[in-house]
Each structure stands twice: as structure tokens, then as C-alpha cells.
Amino acid sequence: MDKVKTWYITDASKGIGRMLAKKLLDSGHNVAAVNWSMEDISDTASGKLLPLSVDLNDEDAISESLYRAHTTFGAIDVVLNNAAYAIGGSIEELSSMEIMHSLNVNLLATIRVIQNVLPYLRQQRSGHIINISAISGFSSGAPLPLYTAAKYAVNGISEALAQDVAALGIKVSIVTPGEFNTDMQDETAMPFAAKAIADYKNTRKRQQQQFVFERMRQGDYDKVTEALLKISSHPNPPLYLFLGNDAHSKARNKIRGLSQILEQWKDITHSIDYEIGA
């Protein structure tokens, strides 16, 4: 086994977060698990577990949890920002409160964790921040505007962060899965905006169909966790890691489409440059 590492995982209560935490513990690693479910805890006795109850909207709570993790294990090696939440509805239907709740979980919580863990990683001159995004945050196709917007922002922040911390020995990766059951909600139906506008009934229908489709898919969490373990132990992990054939195909098509647009409109693009001596 590679050297024992300490992971800090947001939302280790279900899905990828929980399965990864159990695999890490079974392999002897340390895990600070945010909102860990205490069921079957005996299955993870071979590793060191620090269960944490953290409101990811509360910066003080995040700061305290990271302090506890660092104090308990002496280091924080890998941070996995995994928490996610999706709400259906058109942009016009969503209330300010619904918008803020979605952004808090999908974007602002990630930023808060990054800001509060960086002092420890800078001091160590090491560490790996892994932010879970989605293919819809790279090639918009999923009909969830807030979730898509948040994941686009996560990508942008991660790219900027990677440049900020590269000289400090800190790595950043954006993991971009395709479509599979992410367990973002335990309910059998997606939550929708409280306000419903008749003109968007087809939008809601399409969103619900997509939600049901993803819940029916048997995403191979075991393979996802193996992929995360591989990049966490790599000396030069990728900035972007696309997971799944659909994610690869959509990303490739997006890049190809952008390249075509750049070439098609390059004359206008270059026409605004300042001409020396003009």
C-alpha cells in the first residue's frame, strides 16, 4: 500500500463519497468524513475514521472540522469536494431562496472548504484538492440550469486555483462524471421550484425524465472510486478527468465545436486588435 494518507470528504453519507470512504478505511487510510452515516461502522474498523457533522453553509463549522481533522491525523493530504444538490425548474421559476440553496451546496460550500483547507496545505507544501463537477458543467446538455451554472463555476475556480497553488506543491483536479445515479437526493422524485409557470411544463417534464433515467442507471461506483484513488496517488494528476464514455464524447464534441466557431469567426475576432501606427 502507498503511504497512509488523510482524506477529507464532504458528504460521505451516500454514493461515491461513502463508498470511497469505506474503501480508504479498509485500506488503512485516515478519513475525515463529513456527515458520515454511522451504519455499518464496524465494516471500516481497519482504518481511522473521524466522523464529522458539518453544515457546509457555515464557514466556522467547516473551519472547525478541518482543524479537528488536522489535529487528529497531523495532516490533510486529499480533499474531495463531493456534496451536490439538484433542483428542477426553469430559471424564471426559481426563487431567490431556491437559487441560493442550490449555489450554497454546489458552489459556495466548495469555495469555503478550499479557503479553509489551504492554510494547512500551504504549510505542508503538499496536498491534492479534487472537486467533483459534472459533464453538464463542461458541455451543457443537462436541463438543470442552476446545477449546470454551479458546475461551470466550479470548473473555472478550480482552473484558477490550480495556477495559484502550483508553485506551492498543491495539486488540483476537476473530476467530471457523465450521467449516472449520483444519489444527489434520496427522494424518488426531483424537487422542483415552488413556482410553476405553465409555459415551462415541457421543461419540467424533460427534467423529471432525466432524473428518473439517471436514477435507473447503475453507475459503477467501485470503478469511480478506483479512478479517484489512481489520480490521488499520481505524481502529476490531471487538471480534468472525464469519467464515462458519454462524458468523453460530450467533452470532445464541445471542444470540436468551439474550434470550429473560433475558425469560422476569426476574422471578426482579430478585427478589433489595436494596430500599431494606425
Side-chain angles (χ1 to χ4, degrees), residues 94-146:
L94 292 159
S95 70
S96 295
M97 185 176 296
E98 290 165 338
I99 290 170
M100 283 310 304
H101 178 64
S102 178
L103 293 179
N104 264 321
V105 176
N106 295 311
L107 173 61
L108 298 182
T110 295
I111 295 173
R112 294 185 190 105
V113 170
I114 290 170
Q115 288 180 319
N116 283 277
V117 78
L118 278 175
Y120 300 107
L121 305 188
R122 285 191 293 105
Q123 184 180 32
Q124 297 169 180
R125 285 298 195 264
S126 67
H128 191 182
I129 297 173
I130 303 175
N131 296 327
I132 301 295
S133 183
I135 188 56
S136 62
F138 186 86
S139 176
S140 183
L144 296 173
L146 277 184

Side-chain angles (χ1 to χ4, degrees), residues 5-235:
K5 291 185 177 181
T6 296
W7 286 62
Y8 179 96
I9 301 175
T10 66
D11 195 359
S13 64
K14 56 187 179 297
I16 294 172
R18 181 169 176 79
M19 179 169 283
L20 176 62
K22 294 185 73 172
K23 181 169 289 190
L24 288 166
L25 291 163
D26 289 341
S27 299
H29 294 287
N30 306 320
V31 179
V34 173
N35 299 334
W36 170 269
S37 172
M38 298 304 291
E39 296 176 2
D40 301 325
I41 194 169
S42 60
D43 292 343
T44 61
S46 59
K48 296 180 181 178
L49 170 68
L50 176 63
L52 297 165
S53 179
V54 183
D55 179 357
L56 293 175
N57 294 325
D58 186 338
E59 185 165 357
D60 290 338
I62 292 171
S63 177
E64 172 63 21
S65 71
L66 287 163
Y67 173 79
R68 287 185 59 195
H70 189 269
T71 301
T72 300
F73 300 121
I76 299 174
D77 299 299
V78 187
V79 176
L80 181 70
N81 281 305
N82 177 59
Y85 170 80
I87 183 171
S90 71
I91 295 174
E92 186 179 355
E93 292 173 317
L94 292 159
S95 70
S96 295
M97 185 176 296
E98 290 165 338
I99 290 170
M100 283 310 304
H101 178 64
S102 178
L103 293 179
N104 264 321
V105 176
N106 295 311
L107 173 61
L108 298 182
T110 295
I111 295 173
R112 294 185 190 105
V113 170
I114 290 170
Q115 288 180 319
N116 283 277
V117 78
L118 278 175
Y120 300 107
L121 305 188
R122 285 191 293 105
Q123 184 180 32
Q124 297 169 180
R125 285 298 195 264
S126 67
H128 191 182
I129 297 173
I130 303 175
N131 296 327
I132 301 295
S133 183
I135 188 56
S136 62
F138 186 86
S139 176
S140 183
L144 296 173
L146 277 184
Y147 184 71
T148 295
K151 292 306 184 181
Y152 264 96
V154 166
N155 293 352
I157 287 169
S158 301
E159 289 185 11
L161 176 66
Q163 296 182 49
D164 288 346
V165 301
L168 304 176
I170 302 169
K171 310 297 184 182
V172 178
S173 293
I174 308 161
V175 174
T176 306
E179 295 177 350
F180 69 99
N181 182 355
T182 59
D183 286 347
M184 283 189 295
Q185 287 90 17
D186 292 329
E187 298 85 353
T188 57
M190 176 189 294
F192 276 87
K195 178 182 179 181
I197 299 174
D199 284 343
Y200 296 118
K201 64 180 181 180
N202 288 335
T203 297
R204 288 187 170 228
K205 181 179 179 181
R206 185 171 68 252
Q207 290 172 340
Q208 181 61 35
Q209 288 173 340
Q210 181 71 17
F211 179 78
V212 171
F213 170 73
E214 291 189 4
R215 288 189 65 85
M216 289 175 63
R217 293 192 65 166
Q218 299 298 313
D220 195 331
Y221 288 156
D222 191 56
K223 291 181 179 179
V224 173
T225 58
E226 284 298 324
L228 293 173
L229 290 172
K230 285 180 181 178
I231 66 168
S232 71
S233 62
H234 198 283

Side-chain angles (χ1 to χ4, degrees), residues 135 242-253:
I135 188 56
F242 296 92
L243 295 180
N245 290 330
D246 60 329
H248 182 269
S249 177
K250 289 177 181 179
R252 185 177 54 193
N253 290 340

